[in-house]
């Protein structure tokens, strides 16, 4: 069989195609002219197809390498693609050039530097990172006399970055008259852009946007690059944002004079970065924007067992915004997917590590074969604790170990200063955390004074106290701020002996407004930090319980003495826990990561933990949620499942402690969407305490399996009876009818007009009601005049 080269001469397919391509991959490689969309399912060999296609164009179709452009999202992916293309091309007798392969940002930076006269710059530009960008936004706020306390600079940064993801300039933003933040965002964005260009600088979003605008507004330049890049390849197309899509359109779409030789490769079922600006419509609407597009589906999976694929396929079919495809494999049937239900998060961690040890001992697996996936970074702590105790090496992928995270180090620094005010390192860390206006210049003056008087026995804390009442050491404004800081610590010093450690922690958060400031930011990073602080609260309460259990309840003197010892003991244990053993290699370590970080990776054994409503899916179970948000969470679940090659565990707990309060958790709705015949359900939640799952126990985790068809894939009961004492061990759990059932009114109208106090939104009043029983919904109007709809069964206790 033969086809024609671009120049019309014949070409033998085998000469330009690597061996080992399946029929669909081969079809995608051969379809060189016109628009092509390749839907590449998880583990279907998309990179092999993509690199083979590029090599085929060069070697068989005789396309000059410089006329081929391939873009992806990470430097690692681009380097791998470049290396594979070179390997294919140079395996023969002839050597070829290499096409332009890079990330969107690197390709655009090269173009902008080549075309500098068309840009707003008269000399080479610099690129601002996130911290540079934030500094410039703060300057813009000052110029506009906008209070950065009322309008958080990081929230403004997030708004500007969102606008740039959508390729919107300041004048294109809607300045809603009723939304003060939106009005000010438009003003700040406009000032920020002026300052950015005045500084001869670009931020990451502007790199894409400026390139797009140059091609849009300069026809000659657009034609130049349409002729330069005659063949476009886009990897992970489902992750593109609006600005990137418009940029690609300028280069390829016939609407703008383009050749339409564009090949996009992606999988809408793995679109999980909406929060980062990715627009799933780009891949779903591609055939509408390119009517001549050819569609090729890569559905053969080379990674997972049939059982794992069947479960993943069954789940993702519940999404409506997707193209029809079903992964299949020639791999073995494999073991059933295990769904395990545990009493609490401590039991969950104990079981996971026990199973890792069991597999390692009985199956001869290396620790590098195992990975633990969770929805939020804060969940890693429980697993880290048990892994450290069992001396099992582990790595946090795409993040920091729990004790290395900024907010945890900040709180520990507060604890250390309370215990020892002479600790100058900890004191300097938190003197302006959260921001209280004590800047770098003030601190440098204090350090200089300290250096001059250290021989007199003055500590840095002594200098801070002196400067708080002597404005000549810094300035009158700085002295006032230092005085507030000193008063804060005097209060903490005096209260600490009277409080439990958990109470001291909450006092610090209340007095410093640490969490409040994070909420004002409203960014994904800030929300992640709040989750870490929630987990830190749980950690502290667990520590207290363990310490106080050693003292008889009637021994008041002993308990008071133990309370005083909690702070130094906790600091000591935290220091030991934060020690990182660097001798273990990545390959021989258990991997811990968020589900978002897992994309692109694969492991023989995967544990997906914390599969509970409100956690995963991470949408508030009491509030009506847009279907598109639920579908993105389902896609994230699908991505996690399809990382597993041989063994997959799906896990949830009945009780989880959040901010020290026991919360009864509903199992994830995704369990109800799994095929029972592929699931083995193991229930360890009935009357069991987490201590019974210690990895040193002789208890087997094979017991407690329910018979076929009895709730294997479906919901466990919605709620559970039993009360926690708030301090002791987890209560026994017996699933029964919902404890809020007694709150339901006999008629929908009973609720209209009732007042309630929501823990997040504050006071509100019911203005409408619909449905009945478990499906009854109420609409609440809050003081900010905003209306929100809730399932009544989740909020009845707030009335």
């Amino acid at each position: 069989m033969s086809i024609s080269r671009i120049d019309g001469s014949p070409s033998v397919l085998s000469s330009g195609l690597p061996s080992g391509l399946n029929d669909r991959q081969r079809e995608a490689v051969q379809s060189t002219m016109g628009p092509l969309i390749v839907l590449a399912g998880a583990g279907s060999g998309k990179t092999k197809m993509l690199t083979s296609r590029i090599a085929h164009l060069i070697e068989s179709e005789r396309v000059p390498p410089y006329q081929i452009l391939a873009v992806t999202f990470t430097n690692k992916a681009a380097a791998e693609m470049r290396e594979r293309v070179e390997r294919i091309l140079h395996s023969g007798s002839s050597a070829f050039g290499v096409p332009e392969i890079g990330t969107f940002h690197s390709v655009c930076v090269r173009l902008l530097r080549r075309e500098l006269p068309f840009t707003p710059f008269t000399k080479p530009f610099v690129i601002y990172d996130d911290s540079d960008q934030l500094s410039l936004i703060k300057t813009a706020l000052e110029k506009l006399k906008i209070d950065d306390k009322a309008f958080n600079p990081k929230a403004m940064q997030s708004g500007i970055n969102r606008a740039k993801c959508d390729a919107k300039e300041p004048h294109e933003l809607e300045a809603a008259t009723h939304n003060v933040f939106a009005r000010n965002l438009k003003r700040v964005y406009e000032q920020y852009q002026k300052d950015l260009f005045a500084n001869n600088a670009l931020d990451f979003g502007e790199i894409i946007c400026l390139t797009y605008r140059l091609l849009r507004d300069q026809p000659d330049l657009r034609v130049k690059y349409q002729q330069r890049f005659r063949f476009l390849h886009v990897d992970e197309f489902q992750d593109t944002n609006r600005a990137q899509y418009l940029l690609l359109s300028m280069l390829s779409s016939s609407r703008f004079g383009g050749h339409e030789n564009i090949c996009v490769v992606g999988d809408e079922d793995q679109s999980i970065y909406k929060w980062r600006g990715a627009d799933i419509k780009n891949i779903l609407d591609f055939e509408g924007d390119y009517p001549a597009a050819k569609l090729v589906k890569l559905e053969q999976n080379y990674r997972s067992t049939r059982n794992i694929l069947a479960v993943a396929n069954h789940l993702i079919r519940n999404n409506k915004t997707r193209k029809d495809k079903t992964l299949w494999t020639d791999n073995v049937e494999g073991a059933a997917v295990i769904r395990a239900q545990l009493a609490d998060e401590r039991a969950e961690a104990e079981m996971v590590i026990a199973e890792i040890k069991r597999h390692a001992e009985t199956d001869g697996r290396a620790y590098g074969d195992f990975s633990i996936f969770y929805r939020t970074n804060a969940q890693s702590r429980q697993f880290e604790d048990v892994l450290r105790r069992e001396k099992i090496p582990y790595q946090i992928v795409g993040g920091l170990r729990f004790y290395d995270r900024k907010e945890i180090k900040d709180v520990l620094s507060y604890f250390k200063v309370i215990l020892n005010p002479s600790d100058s390192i900890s004191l300097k860390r938190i003197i302006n955390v959260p921001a209280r206006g004590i800047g770098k210049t003030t601190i440098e003056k204090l350090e200089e004074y300290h250096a001059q008087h250290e021989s007199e026995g003055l500590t840095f804390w002594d200098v801070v106290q002196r400067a708080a009442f002597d404005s000549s050491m810094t300035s009158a404004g700085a002295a006032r701020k230092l005085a507030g800081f000193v008063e804060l610590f005097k209060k903490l010093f005096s209260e600490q002996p009277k409080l439990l450690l958990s109470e001291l922690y909450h006092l610090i958060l209340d007095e410093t407004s640490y969490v409040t400031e994070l909420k004002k930011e409203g960014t994904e990073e800030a929300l992640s930090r709040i989750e870490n602080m929630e987990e830190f609260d749980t950690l502290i309460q667990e520590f207290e319980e363990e310490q106080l259990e050693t003292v008889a309840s009637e021994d008041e003197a002993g308990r008071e003495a133990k309370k005083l010892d909690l702070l130094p003991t906790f600091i000591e244990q935290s220091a030991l826990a934060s020690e990182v053993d660097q001798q273990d290699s990545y390959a021989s370590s258990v991997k811990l990561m968020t589900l978002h970080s897992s994309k692109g990776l694969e492991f023989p054994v995967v544990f997906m933990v914390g599969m509970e409503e409100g956690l995963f899916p991470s949408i508030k179970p009491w509030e009506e949620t847009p279907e598109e948000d639920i579908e993105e969470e389902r896609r994230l679940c699908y991505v996690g499942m399809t990382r597993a090659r041989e063994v997959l565990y799906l896990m949830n707990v009945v009780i989880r402690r959040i901010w020290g309060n026991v919360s009864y958790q509903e199992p994830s709705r995704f369990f109800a969407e799994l095929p029972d015949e592929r699931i083995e359900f193991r229930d360890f939640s009935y009357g069991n305490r987490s201590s019974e799952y210690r990895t040193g126990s002789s208890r087997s985790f094979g017991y407690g399996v329910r018979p076929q068809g009895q709730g294997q894939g479906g919901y466990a009961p919605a709620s559970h009876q039993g009360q926690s004492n708030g301090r002791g061990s987890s209560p026994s759990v017996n699933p029964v009818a919902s404890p809020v059932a007694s709150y339901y009114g006999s008629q929908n109208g009973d609720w209209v007009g009732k007042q309630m106090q929501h823990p997040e939104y504050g006071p509100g009043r019911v203005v409408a009601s619909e449905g009945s029983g478990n499906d009854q919904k109420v609409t609440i109007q809050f003081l900010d005049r905003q209306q929100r709809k809730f399932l009544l069964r989740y909020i009845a206790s707030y009335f």
Side-chain angles (χ1 to χ4, degrees):
M1 180 181 177
S2 66
I3 62 172
S4 294
R5 292 193 177 107
I6 300 302
D7 61 10
S9 60
S11 169
V12 179
L13 277 177
S14 60
S15 67
L17 288 175
S19 61
L21 295 175
N22 64 36
D23 290 344
R24 296 286 75 77
Q25 290 171 329
R26 185 180 294 270
E27 181 183 3
V29 169
Q30 293 174 219
S31 303
T32 54
M33 299 301 293
L36 172 68
I37 176 170
V38 181
L39 297 181
S44 62
K46 71 175 177 67
T47 305
K48 182 175 183 178
M49 181 282 300
L50 196 54
T51 53
S52 297
R53 189 177 194 275
I54 294 170
H56 174 70
L57 279 168
I58 297 171
E59 189 176 47
S60 293
E61 304 293 352
R62 301 303 181 194
V63 175
Y66 64 82
Q67 290 189 345
I68 298 173
L69 171 65
V71 290
T72 187
F73 282 85
T74 66
N75 290 317
K76 180 181 177 182
E80 181 184 356
M81 195 184 301
R82 192 179 302 110
E83 181 184 338
R84 287 202 193 189
V85 171
E86 288 177 342
R87 194 184 310 134
I88 295 170
L89 291 174
H90 292 213
S91 61
S93 57
S94 302
F96 297 85
V98 178
E100 183 150 356
I101 299 174
T103 64
F104 275 95
H105 288 98
S106 65
V107 168
C108 288
V109 165
R110 287 195 290 271
L111 187 152
L112 291 173
R113 292 205 189 282
R114 283 195 296 262
E115 309 298 342
L116 197 66
F118 291 95
T119 71
F121 310 121
T122 56
K123 57 184 178 180
F125 54 82
V126 296
I127 299 172
Y128 277 3
D129 62 17
D130 288 345
S131 61
D132 298 326
Q133 183 189 34
L134 187 61
S135 296
L136 200 61
I137 288 170
K138 289 177 179 178
T139 301
L141 287 167
E142 289 176 9
K143 287 182 178 179
L144 297 171
K145 298 186 178 354
I146 296 175
D147 184 6
D148 63 359
K149 300 296 182 187
F151 298 94
N152 189 283
K154 285 193 175 181
M156 288 286 175
Q157 182 181 36
S158 180
I160 290 171
N161 288 339
R162 280 197 303 272
K164 293 194 175 191
C165 281
D166 293 334
K168 289 184 177 179
E169 296 183 73
H171 70 272
E172 295 176 290
L173 290 186
E174 293 183 16
T177 55
H178 65 279
N179 191 321
V180 180
F181 181 86
R183 291 204 305 271
N184 282 299
L185 174 63
K186 185 173 184 177
R187 294 175 61 209
V188 172
Y189 186 10
E190 190 172 40
Q191 182 65 51
Y192 168 79
Q193 286 291 92
K194 290 178 183 176
D195 294 345
L196 188 69
F197 291 150
N199 287 357
N200 224 64
L202 291 174
D203 58 38
F204 289 110
E206 193 61 32
I207 290 171
I208 307 294
C209 289
L210 181 57
T211 307
Y212 156 64
R213 290 195 297 270
L214 288 187
L215 296 177
R216 181 194 65 188
D217 300 338
Q218 302 290 335
D220 292 342
L221 199 63
R222 182 168 68 245
V223 170
K224 173 183 175 181
Y225 282 96
Q226 286 172 346
Q227 293 175 348
R228 164 75 185 274
F229 299 128
R230 291 178 56 218
F231 293 88
L232 269 65
H233 298 79
V234 189
D235 191 18
E236 303 288 5
F237 187 63
Q238 76 280 350
D239 293 336
T240 53
N241 60 33
R242 183 64 180 166
Q244 290 161 338
Y245 186 81
L246 291 171
L247 170 65
L248 294 168
S249 298
M250 288 296 121
L251 293 172
S252 64
S253 175
S254 58
R255 289 174 295 157
F256 307 105
H259 42 67
E260 298 218 340
N261 294 328
I262 178 171
C263 169
V264 300
V265 184
D267 181 7
E268 80 286 358
D269 289 336
Q270 298 186 71
S271 178
I272 59 174
Y273 296 116
K274 178 184 174 185
W275 54 275
R276 219 161 56 184
D279 190 347
I280 193 173
K281 292 179 182 177
N282 292 346
I283 191 168
L284 294 174
D285 297 344
F286 182 82
E287 291 168 279
D289 293 339
Y290 294 83
K294 180 175 183 177
L295 171 66
V296 176
K297 298 179 184 179
L298 303 186
E299 296 173 292
Q300 183 175 0
N301 177 282
Y302 294 94
R303 176 187 300 155
S304 304
T305 65
R306 293 178 191 173
N307 260 323
I308 291 172
L309 277 189
V311 171
N313 283 332
H314 211 275
L315 174 81
I316 202 61
R317 285 195 198 106
N318 290 277
N319 272 11
K320 294 181 176 62
T321 50
R322 66 185 296 265
K323 295 176 180 287
D324 182 50
K325 66 178 180 299
T326 301
L327 296 188
W328 61 275
T329 184
D330 284 333
N331 293 341
V332 299
E333 190 78 7
V337 172
I338 298 169
R339 183 200 156 191
Q341 180 164 274
L342 284 301
D344 58 26
E345 64 266 36
R346 294 168 68 183
E348 181 182 51
E350 296 285 357
M351 178 181 171
V352 168
I353 280 59
E355 288 291 271
I356 288 174
K357 290 182 71 176
R358 183 178 67 79
H359 280 292
E361 292 166 5
T362 61
D363 303 339
R365 294 188 184 276
Y367 286 133
D369 289 344
F370 303 95
S371 188
I372 305 169
F373 298 164
Y374 35 76
R375 184 62 180 82
T376 69
N377 274 305
Q379 291 169 259
S380 76
R381 198 270 302 176
Q382 295 279 356
F383 301 96
E384 290 187 66
D385 285 351
V386 182
L387 287 164
R388 275 195 306 269
R389 190 192 72 213
E390 296 299 314
K391 297 181 171 52
I392 295 175
Y394 71 92
Q395 297 269 341
I396 302 287
V397 177
L400 295 170
R401 293 177 180 235
F402 188 76
Y403 285 97
D404 291 335
R405 294 167 192 167
K406 179 185 182 301
E407 54 281 1
I408 305 304
K409 285 190 168 186
D410 288 345
V411 174
L412 284 171
S413 291
Y414 272 96
F415 282 169
K416 289 175 183 177
V417 174
I418 291 169
L419 186 66
N420 174 25
S422 299
D423 181 354
S424 61
I425 300 298
S426 297
L427 183 59
K428 290 174 187 177
R429 179 183 180 91
I430 47 89
I431 194 169
N432 196 42
V433 176
R436 48 178 64 92
I438 302 173
K440 183 179 177 182
T441 302
T442 299
I443 294 171
E444 287 174 348
K445 289 179 180 179
L446 297 177
E447 288 176 330
E448 183 180 351
Y449 188 92
H450 181 229
Q452 294 171 352
H453 297 84
E454 194 171 9
S455 60
E456 302 170 16
L458 250 62
T459 66
F460 190 73
W461 170 244
D462 294 330
V463 173
V464 170
Q465 291 185 92
R466 185 172 295 183
F469 301 100
D470 183 356
S471 60
S472 65
M473 292 174 61
T474 53
S475 67
R480 284 195 301 273
K481 292 162 186 172
L482 288 168
F485 181 70
V486 169
E487 288 304 310
L488 164 66
F489 265 94
K490 284 184 177 179
K491 181 172 184 177
L492 296 176
F493 292 149
S494 65
E495 294 295 323
Q496 185 264 326
K498 312 170 194 174
L499 303 175
L500 285 168
L501 187 60
S502 57
E503 294 168 337
L504 178 63
Y505 175 55
H506 282 272
L507 180 63
I508 292 170
L509 298 186
D510 290 342
E511 293 295 325
T512 61
S513 299
Y514 198 115
V515 174
T516 303
E517 291 303 312
L518 288 173
K519 284 182 177 179
K520 285 181 182 178
E521 289 182 22
T523 61
E524 288 291 329
E525 180 187 1
L527 294 176
S528 178
R529 288 184 172 179
I530 293 172
E531 289 165 351
N532 287 333
M533 299 187 82
E534 290 176 356
E535 182 61 22
F536 196 55
D537 187 61
T538 299
L539 167 65
I540 292 171
Q541 296 221 21
E542 288 176 355
F543 167 78
E544 283 181 351
E545 290 165 7
E546 290 170 0
Q547 294 293 310
L548 295 177
E549 275 179 3
T550 63
V551 184
S553 58
E554 66 274 7
D555 183 3
E556 285 298 325
R559 290 181 70 82
E560 287 303 311
K562 195 69 175 179
K563 278 173 59 177
L564 290 174
D565 197 41
L566 288 175
L567 181 58
T569 305
F570 183 79
I571 291 173
E572 179 184 315
Q573 289 192 11
S574 299
L576 294 173
S578 62
E579 286 294 316
V580 179
D581 186 355
Q582 299 288 356
Q583 65 182 0
D584 299 303
S585 68
Y586 180 89
S588 61
S589 303
V590 175
K591 309 302 183 299
L592 284 74
M593 68 192 78
T594 64
L595 283 150
H596 281 99
S597 297
S598 74
K599 191 165 179 293
L601 304 176
E602 59 182 71
F603 301 92
V605 183
V606 166
F607 298 86
M608 289 174 58
V609 301
M611 294 189 66
E612 300 133 34
E613 288 294 298
L615 186 55
F616 188 36
S618 66
I619 50 183
K620 297 165 184 174
W622 57 81
E623 193 166 352
E624 195 169 58
T625 304
E627 188 62 29
E628 63 186 47
D629 292 346
I630 296 171
E631 291 204 354
E632 174 131 349
E633 290 289 303
R634 190 178 286 113
R635 290 194 294 268
L636 187 58
C637 188
Y638 173 81
V639 165
M641 289 176 171
T642 53
R643 302 308 97 193
R645 294 209 299 260
E646 300 167 30
V647 182
L648 174 63
Y649 290 79
L650 308 174
M651 307 179 73
N652 71 287
V653 306
V654 172
I655 294 172
R656 189 173 294 274
R657 186 146 38 182
I658 302 171
W659 283 118
N661 296 316
V662 167
S663 172
Y664 291 93
Q665 302 290 96
E666 284 202 28
S668 172
R669 70 190 67 191
F670 298 145
F671 288 138
E673 301 172 357
L674 307 183
D676 280 357
E677 67 276 7
R678 302 277 186 175
I679 306 292
E680 180 182 314
F681 183 35
R682 303 179 182 180
D683 195 339
F684 305 107
S685 64
Y686 296 100
N688 294 318
R689 293 179 55 181
S690 57
S691 59
E692 295 179 15
Y693 299 92
R694 295 285 294 229
T695 53
S697 170
S698 60
R699 182 186 298 277
S700 166
F701 289 106
Y703 84 100
V705 180
R706 284 188 176 178
Q708 184 84 357
Q710 292 191 22
Q712 292 179 359
Y715 267 115
S719 300
H720 309 276
Q721 274 189 338
Q723 299 296 322
S724 167
N725 57 19
R727 288 286 175 198
S729 60
S730 301
S732 296
V733 178
N734 179 30
V736 294
S738 168
V740 300
S742 61
Y743 287 96
Y744 295 143
S746 58
Q747 298 177 2
N748 296 343
D750 291 349
W751 288 93
V752 176
K754 288 198 172 185
Q755 306 286 328
M756 62 96 74
Q757 179 72 32
H758 193 278
E760 183 171 347
Y761 302 122
R765 182 175 62 86
V766 179
V767 294
S769 176
E770 61 186 90
S772 61
N774 275 350
D775 296 325
Q776 186 170 353
K777 297 174 183 176
V778 290
T779 302
I780 312 290
Q781 181 167 297
F782 294 96
L783 288 182
D784 61 2
R785 311 300 296 174
Q786 294 293 313
Q787 292 188 359
R788 293 177 173 86
K789 188 176 288 188
F790 303 87
L791 280 168
L792 177 60
R793 60 195 172 103
Y794 286 112
I795 64 165
S797 59
Y798 300 142
F799 284 89

